Amino acid sequence: MQYLGITFRELFQEIKASAEEGTDEEEMGYRLFVLGDLLEHRIHASAELPLRFVRMRESCEQIYDDLENFIEWLICNEKEGYSDFYRAKDLLRMKLEQELRKEFVLRGFVG
């Protein structure tokens, strides 16, 4: 995703568009499965990336907001697999809290 410059927002939109075009359930299930794996990888990825990678373009907060909207869309469109994304949402919320605590501590030492 980093190499191609694709954001989670774009992936969410792509999955929505493919569903509206009539993608079959098996293919939708696969796309949701891959999206879930990508989210988990992003959540657990270190902020310290190797030099060959570009900086992450989306903050956890942006992904969290987009994921919340995506889950609502899945529920409204009666797509299976939406419950799998609640775990990712919870993990993102924990990562956000962790990042806020880390920033607070760092500001305390610097300020």
Side-chain angles (χ1 to χ4, degrees):
M1 286 178 64
Q2 291 174 332
Y3 180 74
L4 296 174
I6 299 170
T7 64
F8 279 101
R9 178 174 285 171
E10 292 168 334
L11 286 178
F12 295 142
Q13 291 170 347
E14 177 65 32
I15 290 174
K16 289 177 185 180
S18 67
E20 291 169 5
E21 291 171 2
T23 301
D24 65 51
E25 290 299 316
E26 185 176 340
E27 179 65 23
M28 267 308 278
Y30 176 73
R31 290 177 186 202
L32 292 174
F33 173 78
V34 171
L35 177 63
D37 278 356
L38 289 170
L39 278 167
E40 288 221 14
H41 178 72
R42 171 59 175 89
I43 291 166
H44 297 295
S46 171
E48 303 297 323
L49 297 172
L51 292 176
R52 69 176 184 241
F53 291 110
V54 295
R55 281 263 170 235
M56 294 179 191
R57 291 174 37 192
E58 292 174 294
S59 69
C60 285
E61 186 175 5
Q62 290 170 318
I63 297 170
Y64 182 86
D65 291 340
D66 291 337
L67 179 58
E68 192 167 21
N69 292 331
F70 185 70
I71 291 171
E72 289 176 21
W73 176 85
L74 287 171
I75 293 169
C76 290
N77 288 280
E78 300 176 359
K79 300 293 180 195
E80 291 184 25
Y82 65 85
S83 61
D84 298 339
F85 289 98
Y86 283 120
R87 180 174 183 272
K89 185 177 168 187
D90 289 341
L91 289 172
L92 268 172
R93 183 175 36 249
M94 288 188 292
K95 185 162 182 139
L96 281 169
E97 291 170 359
Q98 180 184 31
E99 288 177 354
L100 287 172
R101 275 190 239 114
K102 182 179 175 182
E103 186 178 323
F104 178 76
V105 168
L106 289 175
R107 283 187 182 181
F109 286 118
V110 175

